Amino acid sequence: MAAVDDAAVDTAAAAETPDDGAATTDASVAPGTKKTKQWFPLESNPQIMNNFIEKMGFPVDSYRFTDVFSTEEWALEMVPGPTLGVVFLYPIKEATEEFRAAEKARIETEGQVVDESVYYMKQTVGNACGTVGILHACGNIADRVAPKPGSYLETFFSTTKSMSPDEIAEYLNNDDSMDEKHAEASTTNEDGDAIDPSTIETDVNTHFVCFTEVNGCIYELDGRKASPINHGPSSPESLLSDACKVIKGFMERDEGEHRFTIVALAPAVED
């Protein structure tokens, strides 16, 4: 759908779409890192994302991704709670890059507190931001919503939980199994039908980030940034509204843009 007001989001957007004259996929990896390979972009679609995490061993009968139609209260009340993760898609533009640089400089000057238990990785694979965002969402709740025993996610998180963000990025980069899983998810529609890869645009400029709550604070997890960003106090009950307060800042910095999507990792309910 098209956005109907400044706080509405485009839930029908095909995730990562090109914008002539704006940043390309070279901006989709962490600055200062070498982009070693490139995947097809993942669509910002709850059903596709749920199919993806289910195949990796996440219990979608307990929690699953669902659309958030607006940052307004009426839309947040439609989402079952408590929310355990929020994945947000936005277009990379000059204004977003200027803000990111200013934010980095502020943190370098003022500092911030990041809980050591936050699960965080860098992004070095082009167009991997959707998968990185999903891994951030699932990885930070593995103690509350555990992957199925013997599953891909259980192995991935148990193997990487003690690694540094750069080491996890390197592990993901070398993981042939994830190459295959992401390729399937990014070339399959929500009905499970295959998409012709030749029709998929790979030179894109939109980016996924994740918001999660860890030990009483909300963190923005973006594989392009130097570290997690602590946005202050939060709780599972308030995570969605707290994340939307931050998301409103992204929208206000890009007035007139409608290519924003929000999905929440929320309790599974019967349709």
Side-chain angles (χ1 to χ4, degrees), residues 40 43 48 51 55 182-200:
F40 290 116
E43 183 177 344
I48 289 174
N51 292 343
K55 290 179 180 179
H182 178 97
E184 180 182 0
S186 59
T187 59
T188 305
N189 65 23
E190 64 180 28
D191 296 322
D193 299 323
I195 301 170
D196 181 355
S198 67
T199 65
I200 301 174

mmCIF file of all heavy atoms in Angstrom, residues 40 43 48 51 55 182-200:
data_model
loop_
_atom_site.group_PDB
_atom_site.id
_atom_site.type_symbol
_atom_site.label_atom_id
_atom_site.label_comp_id
_atom_site.label_asym_id
_atom_site.label_seq_id
_atom_site.Cartn_x
_atom_site.Cartn_y
_atom_site.Cartn_z
ATOM 1 N N PHE A 40 21.348 -11.945 -3.501
ATOM 2 C CA PHE A 40 20.125 -11.279 -3.935
ATOM 3 C C PHE A 40 19.481 -10.641 -2.704
ATOM 4 O O PHE A 40 19.526 -11.203 -1.602
ATOM 5 C CB PHE A 40 19.137 -12.279 -4.545
ATOM 6 C CG PHE A 40 19.557 -12.824 -5.871
ATOM 7 C CD1 PHE A 40 19.835 -14.175 -6.034
ATOM 8 C CD2 PHE A 40 19.668 -11.992 -6.975
ATOM 9 C CE1 PHE A 40 20.223 -14.686 -7.262
ATOM 10 C CE2 PHE A 40 20.058 -12.488 -8.211
ATOM 11 C CZ PHE A 40 20.343 -13.851 -8.348
ATOM 12 N N GLU A 43 13.274 -9.759 0.340
ATOM 13 C CA GLU A 43 12.093 -8.905 0.364
ATOM 14 C C GLU A 43 11.614 -8.687 1.787
ATOM 15 O O GLU A 43 11.628 -9.590 2.615
ATOM 16 C CB GLU A 43 10.970 -9.541 -0.458
ATOM 17 C CG GLU A 43 9.724 -8.677 -0.546
ATOM 18 C CD GLU A 43 8.646 -9.290 -1.425
ATOM 19 O OE1 GLU A 43 8.953 -10.214 -2.187
ATOM 20 O OE2 GLU A 43 7.488 -8.829 -1.325
ATOM 21 N N ILE A 48 7.550 -14.319 3.744
ATOM 22 C CA ILE A 48 8.839 -14.795 3.236
ATOM 23 C C ILE A 48 9.839 -14.934 4.382
ATOM 24 O O ILE A 48 10.579 -15.924 4.471
ATOM 25 C CB ILE A 48 9.371 -13.830 2.157
ATOM 26 C CG1 ILE A 48 8.528 -13.964 0.884
ATOM 27 C CG2 ILE A 48 10.842 -14.106 1.850
ATOM 28 C CD1 ILE A 48 8.874 -12.971 -0.197
ATOM 29 N N ASN A 51 8.904 -18.005 6.499
ATOM 30 C CA ASN A 51 9.314 -19.238 5.822
ATOM 31 C C ASN A 51 10.812 -19.460 5.976
ATOM 32 O O ASN A 51 11.280 -20.592 6.192
ATOM 33 C CB ASN A 51 8.948 -19.175 4.337
ATOM 34 C CG ASN A 51 7.449 -19.199 4.084
ATOM 35 O OD1 ASN A 51 6.663 -19.576 4.955
ATOM 36 N ND2 ASN A 51 7.044 -18.777 2.896
ATOM 37 N N LYS A 55 12.574 -22.587 8.214
ATOM 38 C CA LYS A 55 13.481 -23.568 7.617
ATOM 39 C C LYS A 55 14.828 -23.607 8.337
ATOM 40 O O LYS A 55 15.530 -24.621 8.294
ATOM 41 C CB LYS A 55 13.680 -23.255 6.133
ATOM 42 C CG LYS A 55 12.432 -23.528 5.297
ATOM 43 C CD LYS A 55 12.634 -23.200 3.832
ATOM 44 C CE LYS A 55 11.370 -23.499 3.040
ATOM 45 N NZ LYS A 55 11.526 -23.167 1.606
ATOM 46 N N HIS A 182 19.831 -18.353 2.116
ATOM 47 C CA HIS A 182 19.460 -16.996 1.722
ATOM 48 C C HIS A 182 19.045 -16.965 0.253
ATOM 49 O O HIS A 182 18.077 -16.281 -0.102
ATOM 50 C CB HIS A 182 20.624 -16.028 1.952
ATOM 51 C CG HIS A 182 20.317 -14.641 1.513
ATOM 52 N ND1 HIS A 182 19.876 -13.653 2.378
ATOM 53 C CD2 HIS A 182 20.334 -14.056 0.287
ATOM 54 C CE1 HIS A 182 19.662 -12.543 1.711
ATOM 55 N NE2 HIS A 182 19.926 -12.764 0.432
ATOM 56 N N ALA A 183 19.775 -17.693 -0.587
ATOM 57 C CA ALA A 183 19.437 -17.711 -2.011
ATOM 58 C C ALA A 183 18.019 -18.226 -2.227
ATOM 59 O O ALA A 183 17.257 -17.674 -3.029
ATOM 60 C CB ALA A 183 20.439 -18.579 -2.768
ATOM 61 N N GLU A 184 17.650 -19.272 -1.504
ATOM 62 C CA GLU A 184 16.286 -19.807 -1.632
ATOM 63 C C GLU A 184 15.254 -18.791 -1.156
ATOM 64 O O GLU A 184 14.232 -18.560 -1.820
ATOM 65 C CB GLU A 184 16.147 -21.098 -0.833
ATOM 66 C CG GLU A 184 14.755 -21.707 -0.920
ATOM 67 C CD GLU A 184 14.589 -22.968 -0.092
ATOM 68 O OE1 GLU A 184 15.563 -23.384 0.560
ATOM 69 O OE2 GLU A 184 13.477 -23.527 -0.092
ATOM 70 N N ALA A 185 15.509 -18.156 0.005
ATOM 71 C CA ALA A 185 14.552 -17.198 0.559
ATOM 72 C C ALA A 185 14.385 -15.977 -0.334
ATOM 73 O O ALA A 185 13.290 -15.424 -0.453
ATOM 74 C CB ALA A 185 14.992 -16.778 1.950
ATOM 75 N N SER A 186 15.467 -15.545 -0.968
ATOM 76 C CA SER A 186 15.421 -14.318 -1.772
ATOM 77 C C SER A 186 14.950 -14.554 -3.200
ATOM 78 O O SER A 186 14.731 -13.587 -3.941
ATOM 79 C CB SER A 186 16.806 -13.647 -1.783
ATOM 80 O OG SER A 186 17.790 -14.526 -2.306
ATOM 81 N N THR A 187 14.798 -15.812 -3.585
ATOM 82 C CA THR A 187 14.299 -16.116 -4.938
ATOM 83 C C THR A 187 13.014 -16.936 -4.891
ATOM 84 O O THR A 187 12.689 -17.655 -5.827
ATOM 85 C CB THR A 187 15.366 -16.882 -5.750
ATOM 86 O OG1 THR A 187 15.711 -18.104 -5.066
ATOM 87 C CG2 THR A 187 16.618 -16.030 -5.939
ATOM 88 N N THR A 188 12.290 -16.814 -3.777
ATOM 89 C CA THR A 188 11.009 -17.495 -3.611
ATOM 90 C C THR A 188 9.983 -16.490 -3.108
ATOM 91 O O THR A 188 10.278 -15.712 -2.201
ATOM 92 C CB THR A 188 11.127 -18.649 -2.597
ATOM 93 O OG1 THR A 188 12.177 -19.535 -3.007
ATOM 94 C CG2 THR A 188 9.822 -19.428 -2.503
ATOM 95 N N ASN A 189 8.782 -16.493 -3.680
ATOM 96 C CA ASN A 189 7.767 -15.544 -3.226
ATOM 97 C C ASN A 189 7.041 -16.074 -1.991
ATOM 98 O O ASN A 189 7.319 -17.175 -1.516
ATOM 99 C CB ASN A 189 6.798 -15.179 -4.351
ATOM 100 C CG ASN A 189 5.952 -16.360 -4.822
ATOM 101 O OD1 ASN A 189 5.742 -17.338 -4.097
ATOM 102 N ND2 ASN A 189 5.441 -16.261 -6.042
ATOM 103 N N GLU A 190 6.092 -15.312 -1.487
ATOM 104 C CA GLU A 190 5.422 -15.679 -0.238
ATOM 105 C C GLU A 190 4.566 -16.937 -0.368
ATOM 106 O O GLU A 190 4.235 -17.572 0.631
ATOM 107 C CB GLU A 190 4.572 -14.527 0.276
ATOM 108 C CG GLU A 190 3.424 -14.136 -0.613
ATOM 109 C CD GLU A 190 2.618 -12.983 -0.023
ATOM 110 O OE1 GLU A 190 3.177 -12.180 0.732
ATOM 111 O OE2 GLU A 190 1.423 -12.914 -0.343
ATOM 112 N N ASP A 191 4.231 -17.312 -1.610
ATOM 113 C CA ASP A 191 3.454 -18.529 -1.835
ATOM 114 C C ASP A 191 4.340 -19.753 -2.024
ATOM 115 O O ASP A 191 3.836 -20.863 -2.229
ATOM 116 C CB ASP A 191 2.556 -18.361 -3.062
ATOM 117 C CG ASP A 191 1.514 -17.278 -2.870
ATOM 118 O OD1 ASP A 191 0.983 -17.171 -1.743
ATOM 119 O OD2 ASP A 191 1.252 -16.528 -3.825
ATOM 120 N N GLY A 192 5.661 -19.530 -1.965
ATOM 121 C CA GLY A 192 6.587 -20.638 -2.129
ATOM 122 C C GLY A 192 6.988 -20.907 -3.561
ATOM 123 O O GLY A 192 7.677 -21.900 -3.843
ATOM 124 N N ASP A 193 6.581 -20.044 -4.487
ATOM 125 C CA ASP A 193 6.921 -20.224 -5.900
ATOM 126 C C ASP A 193 8.266 -19.569 -6.206
ATOM 127 O O ASP A 193 8.584 -18.497 -5.677
ATOM 128 C CB ASP A 193 5.843 -19.605 -6.793
ATOM 129 C CG ASP A 193 4.481 -20.241 -6.578
ATOM 130 O OD1 ASP A 193 4.438 -21.470 -6.368
ATOM 131 O OD2 ASP A 193 3.470 -19.505 -6.599
ATOM 132 N N ALA A 194 9.032 -20.201 -7.081
ATOM 133 C CA ALA A 194 10.352 -19.691 -7.438
ATOM 134 C C ALA A 194 10.235 -18.423 -8.280
ATOM 135 O O ALA A 194 9.321 -18.278 -9.105
ATOM 136 C CB ALA A 194 11.142 -20.754 -8.188
ATOM 137 N N ILE A 195 11.174 -17.503 -8.053
ATOM 138 C CA ILE A 195 11.278 -16.264 -8.830
ATOM 139 C C ILE A 195 12.482 -16.392 -9.752
ATOM 140 O O ILE A 195 13.552 -16.858 -9.341
ATOM 141 C CB ILE A 195 11.466 -15.050 -7.906
ATOM 142 C CG1 ILE A 195 10.297 -14.922 -6.935
ATOM 143 C CG2 ILE A 195 11.643 -13.767 -8.712
ATOM 144 C CD1 ILE A 195 10.526 -13.883 -5.843
ATOM 145 N N ASP A 196 12.330 -15.983 -11.004
ATOM 146 C CA ASP A 196 13.440 -16.016 -11.944
ATOM 147 C C ASP A 196 14.529 -15.050 -11.464
ATOM 148 O O ASP A 196 14.291 -13.840 -11.394
ATOM 149 C CB ASP A 196 12.940 -15.594 -13.329
ATOM 150 C CG ASP A 196 14.038 -15.620 -14.386
ATOM 151 O OD1 ASP A 196 15.209 -15.864 -14.045
ATOM 152 O OD2 ASP A 196 13.705 -15.363 -15.558
ATOM 153 N N PRO A 197 15.711 -15.533 -11.103
ATOM 154 C CA PRO A 197 16.765 -14.645 -10.581
ATOM 155 C C PRO A 197 17.134 -13.508 -11.532
ATOM 156 O O PRO A 197 17.562 -12.442 -11.075
ATOM 157 C CB PRO A 197 17.951 -15.603 -10.377
ATOM 158 C CG PRO A 197 17.334 -16.944 -10.185
ATOM 159 C CD PRO A 197 16.141 -16.944 -11.096
ATOM 160 N N SER A 198 16.959 -13.722 -12.841
ATOM 161 C CA SER A 198 17.332 -12.685 -13.800
ATOM 162 C C SER A 198 16.431 -11.466 -13.703
ATOM 163 O O SER A 198 16.758 -10.396 -14.225
ATOM 164 C CB SER A 198 17.304 -13.239 -15.229
ATOM 165 O OG SER A 198 15.972 -13.558 -15.626
ATOM 166 N N THR A 199 15.279 -11.601 -13.016
ATOM 167 C CA THR A 199 14.341 -10.481 -12.880
ATOM 168 C C THR A 199 14.565 -9.705 -11.582
ATOM 169 O O THR A 199 13.883 -8.708 -11.339
ATOM 170 C CB THR A 199 12.893 -10.991 -12.896
ATOM 171 O OG1 THR A 199 12.649 -11.812 -11.736
ATOM 172 C CG2 THR A 199 12.619 -11.815 -14.140
ATOM 173 N N ILE A 200 15.512 -10.146 -10.749
ATOM 174 C CA ILE A 200 15.733 -9.512 -9.444
ATOM 175 C C ILE A 200 16.801 -8.436 -9.548
ATOM 176 O O ILE A 200 17.907 -8.691 -10.018
ATOM 177 C CB ILE A 200 16.150 -10.559 -8.390
ATOM 178 C CG1 ILE A 200 15.062 -11.629 -8.246
ATOM 179 C CG2 ILE A 200 16.416 -9.891 -7.052
ATOM 180 C CD1 ILE A 200 15.449 -12.778 -7.324
#
